Amino acid sequence: PLCMFVSYMAKAAHIGSAVPAHQDNGYFNLIPNHALTFWIALDECTEENGCLRVIPGSHRHGILPHKASGQVGNSSCLSEPPNPIEAGEVAVLLGRGDCSIHHVDTIHSSLANKSDHPRRGFLLTYQSVRCEVDPVGLTRHQKIVDEMHAKISVRRT
């Protein structure tokens, strides 16, 4: 495996925003999709502070269509997100230092942080050495990113 992506995610107390339903591979566009994201909790992750929420088994459907999310920090989201209740979404409750692992095609999201405490995490994504970037998917994702940048530029003027 190769470490391809490292990130720090933070939701401040009371103001940490929701993250819309998406798939990490909607950003990465890896083929084959042999990659995993490791989410390491730096704080306790609860429903109140916006823990990760996943739809078990959703990785079996490949990359679904994404669109610009309209939310700074989250360039894309699913074009037609599934109903969380009907899809069997589950909250991933973690203690400090715990780790969850999900496939890059797993549909996941999180709610806003409504607690008095931050929710921070360290993310590592590992891919197989056999993975390549799908140029068609990458071009499609770049259009989403460009659309987001255009919206942000309009808001600033």
Side-chain angles (χ1 to χ4, degrees):
L2 298 172
C3 184
M4 64 165 286
F5 184 75
V6 176
S7 180
Y8 169 75
M9 297 284 187
K11 287 190 180 204
H14 299 288
I15 59 172
S17 64
V19 174
H22 68 282
Q23 298 165 294
D24 295 340
N25 209 18
Y27 297 93
F28 303 140
N29 296 284
L30 297 175
I31 49 175
N33 61 359
H34 300 167
L36 300 170
T37 296
F38 293 71
W39 208 104
I40 302 166
L42 301 177
D43 298 301
E44 184 178 12
C45 298
T46 65
E47 291 200 55
E48 186 180 27
N49 71 6
C51 67
L52 182 69
R53 305 181 74 78
V54 301
I55 297 178
S58 58
H59 67 286
R60 295 185 185 108
H61 306 293
I63 302 174
L64 301 175
H66 284 67
K67 66 178 184 177
S69 71
Q71 186 174 12
V72 175
N74 299 290
S75 61
S76 66
C77 63
L78 289 174
S79 297
E80 295 183 31
N83 177 299
I85 295 169
E86 292 174 8
E89 180 183 81
V90 296
V92 180
L93 306 175
L94 300 173
R96 182 180 294 167
D98 288 348
C99 178
S100 70
I101 304 169
H102 64 267
H103 188 276
V104 292
D105 285 355
T106 298
I107 296 172
H108 60 287
S109 62
S110 64
L111 302 176
N113 184 351
K114 297 180 180 179
S115 77
D116 294 331
H117 306 283
R119 193 224 57 183
R120 299 170 294 180
F122 185 66
L123 284 79
L124 300 162
T125 301
Y126 287 88
Q127 71 178 59
S128 165
V129 294
R130 296 181 190 98
C131 290
E132 295 181 12
V133 175
D134 172 20
V136 173
L138 187 61
T139 298
R140 187 172 40 246
H141 177 67
Q142 188 59 50
K143 287 180 183 177
I144 292 170
V145 171
D146 293 345
E147 182 181 331
M148 283 293 296
H149 287 183
K151 286 180 181 180
I152 292 168
S153 296
V154 169
R155 288 183 197 155
R156 290 183 180 161
T157 57

